Amino acid sequence: MSEMTKFGADLIQAMSEALAHAQGKDVPGVKVHTVDVGAVDAKAIRKKLDLTQGEMATVLGTSPSGYKKWEQGTRQPSGAARTLLRVMDREPEAVLRALSSDDAAVANNKEAAH
Protein backbone atom coordinates (compact mmCIF):
# COMPACT_ATOMS: atom_id res chain seq x y z
CA MET A 1 0.00 0.00 0.00
CA SER A 2 1.43 3.39 -0.92
CA GLU A 3 2.20 6.04 1.71
CA MET A 4 -0.67 8.26 0.51
CA THR A 5 -3.16 5.38 0.42
CA LYS A 6 -2.26 4.39 4.01
CA PHE A 7 -2.69 7.99 5.13
CA GLY A 8 -6.10 8.15 3.45
CA ALA A 9 -7.19 4.87 5.07
CA ASP A 10 -6.02 6.10 8.50
CA LEU A 11 -7.86 9.37 8.01
CA ILE A 12 -11.09 7.63 7.02
CA GLN A 13 -10.84 5.33 10.04
CA ALA A 14 -10.21 8.28 12.38
CA MET A 15 -13.18 10.22 11.00
CA SER A 16 -15.41 7.15 11.28
CA GLU A 17 -14.41 6.77 14.95
CA ALA A 18 -15.00 10.48 15.59
CA LEU A 19 -18.46 10.23 14.05
CA ALA A 20 -19.31 7.14 16.10
CA HIS A 21 -18.16 8.93 19.27
CA ALA A 22 -20.25 12.02 18.41
CA GLN A 23 -23.27 9.74 17.94
CA GLY A 24 -22.76 8.34 21.45
CA LYS A 25 -21.47 4.95 20.38
CA ASP A 26 -18.70 3.15 22.23
CA VAL A 27 -15.36 3.54 20.49
CA PRO A 28 -12.48 1.32 21.65
CA GLY A 29 -9.69 3.35 23.19
CA VAL A 30 -11.76 6.49 23.75
CA LYS A 31 -12.07 7.61 27.36
CA VAL A 32 -14.56 10.35 28.22
CA HIS A 33 -13.95 12.55 31.26
CA THR A 34 -16.72 14.71 32.69
CA VAL A 35 -16.86 17.12 35.58
CA ASP A 36 -20.22 17.83 37.16
CA VAL A 37 -20.21 20.95 39.29
CA GLY A 38 -23.84 20.36 40.20
CA ALA A 39 -26.79 22.69 40.17
CA VAL A 40 -26.43 26.21 41.51
CA ASP A 41 -28.94 28.55 43.14
CA ALA A 42 -28.27 31.81 41.30
CA LYS A 43 -30.78 33.77 43.38
CA ALA A 44 -29.30 32.69 46.71
CA ILE A 45 -25.80 33.54 45.52
CA ARG A 46 -26.94 36.95 44.24
CA LYS A 47 -28.67 37.76 47.53
CA LYS A 48 -25.60 36.62 49.48
CA LEU A 49 -23.54 39.12 47.48
CA ASP A 50 -26.22 41.84 47.85
CA LEU A 51 -26.45 42.46 44.09
CA THR A 52 -29.43 43.34 41.91
CA GLN A 53 -30.41 41.03 39.07
CA GLY A 54 -29.00 43.55 36.60
CA GLU A 55 -25.68 43.77 38.45
CA MET A 56 -25.43 40.00 38.66
CA ALA A 57 -26.15 39.64 34.94
CA THR A 58 -23.39 42.16 34.20
CA VAL A 59 -20.89 40.33 36.42
CA LEU A 60 -21.71 37.05 34.70
CA GLY A 61 -21.67 38.56 31.21
CA THR A 62 -25.22 37.53 30.39
CA SER A 63 -28.42 39.38 29.59
CA PRO A 64 -30.72 40.41 32.46
CA SER A 65 -33.58 38.41 30.89
CA GLY A 66 -31.39 35.31 30.62
CA TYR A 67 -30.25 35.70 34.21
CA LYS A 68 -33.88 36.05 35.42
CA LYS A 69 -34.69 32.72 33.76
CA TRP A 70 -31.96 31.11 35.89
CA GLU A 71 -33.56 32.51 39.04
CA GLN A 72 -37.03 31.43 37.92
CA GLY A 73 -35.77 27.92 37.22
CA THR A 74 -36.84 27.89 33.59
CA ARG A 75 -33.19 27.59 32.52
CA GLN A 76 -29.98 26.49 34.21
CA PRO A 77 -26.63 28.19 33.76
CA SER A 78 -24.05 25.99 32.12
CA GLY A 79 -20.35 26.01 31.43
CA ALA A 80 -18.35 28.99 32.59
CA ALA A 81 -21.37 30.79 34.11
CA ARG A 82 -22.18 27.87 36.40
CA THR A 83 -18.54 27.54 37.41
CA LEU A 84 -18.29 31.27 38.14
CA LEU A 85 -21.47 31.10 40.23
CA ARG A 86 -19.95 28.27 42.29
CA VAL A 87 -16.78 30.32 42.84
CA MET A 88 -18.89 33.38 43.73
CA ASP A 89 -20.72 31.29 46.30
CA ARG A 90 -17.59 29.84 47.90
CA GLU A 91 -15.04 32.64 47.41
CA PRO A 92 -16.98 35.89 46.81
CA GLU A 93 -14.09 38.15 47.84
CA ALA A 94 -11.79 36.53 45.26
CA VAL A 95 -14.32 37.14 42.48
CA LEU A 96 -14.91 40.74 43.53
CA ARG A 97 -11.15 41.36 43.65
CA ALA A 98 -10.69 39.80 40.23
CA LEU A 99 -13.50 41.86 38.70
CA SER A 100 -12.54 45.17 40.28
CA SER A 101 -10.07 47.62 38.80
CA ASP A 102 -6.46 47.28 39.95
CA ASP A 103 -6.59 50.68 41.71
CA ALA A 104 -9.65 49.69 43.73
CA ALA A 105 -8.09 46.35 44.68
CA VAL A 106 -4.90 48.06 45.83
CA ALA A 107 -6.90 50.57 47.88
CA ASN A 108 -8.94 47.80 49.52
CA ASN A 109 -5.79 45.85 50.38
CA LYS A 110 -4.22 48.96 51.94
CA GLU A 111 -7.36 49.57 54.04
CA ALA A 112 -7.43 45.94 55.15
CA ALA A 113 -3.78 46.16 56.25
CA HIS A 114 -4.47 49.14 58.56
Side-chain angles (χ1 to χ4, degrees):
M1 182 179 289
S2 76
E3 188 80 19
M4 188 56 99
T5 305
K6 173 145 177 36
F7 174 75
D10 289 346
L11 189 57
I12 290 169
Q13 179 181 352
M15 291 298 103
S16 297
E17 290 172 0
L19 178 61
H21 175 70
Q23 293 172 335
K25 298 176 184 172
D26 282 334
V27 179
V30 172
K31 186 176 263 189
V32 178
H33 301 275
T34 59
V35 176
D36 182 14
V37 295
V40 293
D41 186 344
K43 184 175 184 177
I45 296 166
R46 176 181 63 79
K47 289 191 174 276
K48 180 178 179 180
L49 298 173
D50 195 29
L51 297 173
T52 66
Q53 287 182 333
E55 291 167 336
M56 191 68 152
T58 299
V59 167
L60 293 166
T62 189
S63 69
S65 64
Y67 176 78
K68 287 176 187 176
K69 290 176 183 175
W70 295 347
E71 284 200 5
Q72 295 165 348
T74 57
R75 298 195 70 199
Q76 278 291 313
S78 61
R82 184 169 47 179
T83 300
L84 181 55
L85 281 164
R86 297 279 294 199
V87 174
M88 291 173 82
D89 187 32
R90 294 181 181 179
E91 298 290 338
E93 296 83 12
V95 173
L96 295 175
R97 278 193 316 270
L99 296 175
S100 68
S101 69
D102 289 340
D103 292 338
V106 169
N108 288 338
N109 287 338
K110 285 181 181 176
E111 288 176 20
H114 294 277

